[in-house]
Amino acid sequence: MSHTTQTTMPTAGAPVAGTATGADGDRIAALFAAQRQGVAVRRVSFDYAARLVALERLRDALVRREADIVAALAADFGKPATEVLLTEILPVRQEIAHARRHLRRWMRPRRVRPTLGLIGTAARVRPEPKGVCLIIAPWNYPLNLALGPLVSALAAGNAVMLKPSELAPATSTLIASLIAETFPPGLVAVVEGDATVAERLLALPFDHIFFTGSPAVGRIVMAAAARTLASVTLELGGKSPAIVGPGADPRKAARWIAWGKFANAGQTCIAPDHVFVHRSVADRLVAALEAEIARAYGADPSARRHSPDYARIVSRRHADRLHGLIESATAAGAQVLAGGEADLLARYVAPTLIARTTLDMAVSQEEIFGPVLPVIAYDDLDQVIARIDAGPKPLALYVFDRSRSFAEAITARTSSGAVGINLTLAHFLHVGLPFGGIGQSGIGAAHGEHGFRAFSHEKAILRDRFSVTPLLFPPYTPLVQRLVRLTLRLLG
């Protein structure tokens, strides 16, 4: 993934957008100072009722600005309206609905039973807001991945500075306008701009940083957070494999894989990066994938080129990179099975299937992040697992087979942020599941209660009622020594 932003100093109800350069660094600092100044007040005033109101206002803004959101994403990506509703608006609306339904329970202090040594005390854990949080959103799902974390941050009671990506400029401007007319800047402020703005933001002592993007930039964010000891949630990416077993239904697997790979023109951090398919079903899977591409986007290259249901690449630079991956692979001996066409000026890269890739090719080493799908036949599952384990841990792993034991064996033998069995991408939409990576694919988790806890500090509270612990205080008389020994024996 990738990302970045611009700067805004709006008052609620009066959207003002602008690019933060030069003196705007002072405006960023002033916004941060205003949000920081309100931390103590928010701990009391931003209670359950106020958080519900904030979430309702965000939901109402999404409903009110739906047509504008669709238009902005069409301008940035040529993204189909239905795909905007499904992948940008629906997940955020679902997060809001889920948070409103469960927020009272999430906020409630949890009682903890006393340990043997602390009988006579009462213990509880109370979630409290971390304070002022920074959300840096990527360009590939610029609305969803900006406002989804915002839902969790508001549910947890925080103030937020939000930086959308400048690579999706229409959506960035839309987000700035939507937020400015919905929240006062002391609660939520949008800062637009490029990497320079991100650097200025990361120099500030935020209480939590939520970043979605590439592992390379994630390292920069984590290093910046270390300077101020801010906690982080890093939603990164990597090469998420799909494994199609000998007992898979090729048509069903192709339906899910094609959707997961070619939605948003493949610019999805949990898209299947490549497919390992058992040689016994490889030809049938390829035929099914070709049929699915034709069904979804058009029967021939011209129809696919003009399909209203297929998005564009975010920038010419990214389109050039993807076209380069195809050309370098074919020059080294890979075979294009379907697609391969590109109109770089229009930022169009066709849904593409390639075979005969080798480990030394760039397409095998880089996260593809586009509509290019290597199909790799295998005979020995152990070799597939060894190859997956030899690389960074993926954000997602997908398994297709009718055999439950086949899927369970792969799940047990590999490490990944999530596993999808006979489906792709859908786990992102399940707000009851944690969404996050492991190792280079991410740190921490988002969505639902997991997102609420990411933006919360769990404060431990212990109260004395009739504790006998003072009996163990010095001076350490023979009686105290016997009591300590007795306690140790009772612990086993």
Side-chain angles (χ1 to χ4, degrees):
M1 288 195 180
S2 251
H3 2 354
T4 3
T5 0
Q6 279 183 340
T7 330
T8 322
M9 276 281 293
T11 56
V16 180
T19 302
T21 56
D24 282 326
D26 294 336
R27 300 173 66 197
I28 294 173
L31 275 173
F32 178 81
Q35 291 192 344
R36 173 69 77 189
Q37 193 172 21
V39 167
V41 174
R42 277 193 305 275
R43 284 198 189 105
V44 177
S45 64
F46 201 33
D47 58 7
Y48 169 72
R51 296 181 201 183
L52 279 187
V53 169
L55 295 173
E56 288 165 3
R57 292 182 68 184
L58 183 58
R59 178 202 60 196
D60 293 346
L62 288 171
V63 173
R64 185 175 63 252
R65 301 294 297 274
E66 182 178 294
D68 297 331
I69 293 168
V70 170
L73 284 151
D76 286 333
F77 288 93
K79 189 177 286 193
T82 301
E83 197 162 290
V84 173
L85 297 177
L86 178 64
T87 65
E88 298 277 3
I89 296 176
L90 183 149
V92 182
R93 291 279 304 275
Q94 185 173 244
E95 284 283 352
I96 294 171
H98 186 75
R100 292 180 66 242
R101 188 175 304 116
H102 297 284
L103 183 57
R104 188 185 296 277
R105 176 176 60 81
W106 296 348
M107 292 178 64
R108 187 179 300 134
R110 304 191 307 279
R111 293 180 61 187
V112 181
R113 296 183 64 172
T115 62
L116 178 63
L118 289 171
I119 289 175
T121 63
R124 57 193 170 126
V125 176
R126 184 169 70 191
E128 66 176 20
K130 286 189 174 179
V132 180
C133 301
L134 172 63
I135 296 172
I136 302 179
W139 53 260
N140 60 323
Y141 290 90
L143 184 95
N144 177 351
L145 298 179
L147 301 189
L150 177 61
V151 172
S152 296
L154 290 173
N158 299 281
V160 175
M161 293 182 72
L162 169 61
K163 183 190 177 302
S165 173
E166 82 282 1
L167 293 182
T171 308
S172 177
T173 299
L174 180 279
I175 290 172
S177 171
L178 183 151
I179 293 299
E181 67 189 27
T182 305
F183 301 110
L187 182 61
V188 185
V190 172
V191 180
E192 297 183 88
D194 58 13
T196 302
V197 171
E199 289 173 5
R200 288 174 178 155
L201 287 166
L202 288 169
L204 296 170
F206 285 96
D207 298 296
H208 187 77
I209 300 172
F210 190 108
F211 169 81
T212 306
S214 68
V217 182
R219 292 186 183 93
I220 296 171
V221 171
M222 196 168 184
R227 289 194 291 269
T228 61
L229 295 180
S231 58
V232 296
T233 302
L234 303 180
E235 299 288 0
L236 306 177
K239 296 180 74 65
S240 296
I243 302 174
V244 180
D249 177 340
R251 291 181 62 188
K252 179 178 179 180
R255 190 91 188 259
W256 277 101
I257 291 169
W259 175 67
K261 182 61 175 180
F262 302 121
N264 202 38
Q267 298 164 111
T268 305
C269 59
I270 52 172
D273 183 89
H274 50 287
V275 177
F276 297 105
V277 54
H278 193 271
R279 199 171 301 277
S280 64
V281 293
D283 289 344
R284 284 184 288 159
L285 179 72
V286 168
L289 284 167
E290 291 174 341
E292 189 59 28
I293 290 170
R295 186 196 68 81
Y297 304 114
D300 58 67
S302 177
R304 290 192 281 272
R305 168 70 179 82
H306 297 96
S307 171
D309 299 317
Y310 186 68
R312 295 296 179 263
I313 306 304
V314 70
S315 70
R316 171 65 190 267
R317 178 172 65 86
H318 286 78
D320 286 343
R321 182 187 68 84
L322 290 164
H323 185 56
L325 288 178
I326 298 170
E327 289 202 319
S328 64
T330 54
Q335 176 187 10
V336 174
L337 303 175
E341 306 86 12
D343 181 344
L344 298 178
L345 287 176
R347 296 178 288 137
Y348 169 79
V349 177
T352 299
L353 306 176
I354 60 174
R356 300 180 185 171
T357 56
T358 58
L359 287 174
D360 59 342
M361 294 177 181
V363 75
S364 301
Q365 297 175 358
E366 300 178 16
E367 181 181 7
I368 295 171
F369 218 71
V372 181
L373 182 65
V375 180
I376 305 160
Y378 75 88
D379 297 297
D380 185 350
L381 182 62
D382 290 342
Q383 293 181 1
V384 172
I385 291 175
R387 177 168 165 177
I388 293 170
D389 285 346
K393 296 176 181 180
L395 185 55
L397 185 149
Y398 303 110
V399 184
F400 291 86
D401 202 281
R402 294 183 182 91
S403 167
R404 187 168 183 175
S405 61
F406 180 87
E408 289 297 330
I410 293 173
T411 302
R413 295 177 64 189
T414 58
S415 179
S416 59
V419 174
I421 300 173
N422 294 321
L423 52 75
T424 62
L425 306 194
H427 63 283
F428 181 90
L429 298 173
H430 195 312
V431 291
L433 289 174
F435 181 81
I438 180 172
Q440 289 193 43
S441 61
I443 295 173
H447 294 184
E449 186 172 6
H450 306 282
F452 173 86
R453 302 220 174 277
F455 284 99
S456 299
H457 166 61
E458 298 204 325
K459 179 186 285 184
I461 302 171
L462 186 67
R463 180 170 61 89
D464 180 28
R465 298 172 63 205
F466 48 86
S467 173
V468 297
T469 303
L471 295 176
L472 308 180
F473 292 172
Y476 298 126
T477 64
L479 174 59
V480 171
Q481 294 174 37
R482 288 196 298 273
L483 289 173
V484 170
R485 291 289 181 185
L486 175 62
T487 302
L488 288 171
R489 284 199 298 273
L490 290 174
L491 289 173

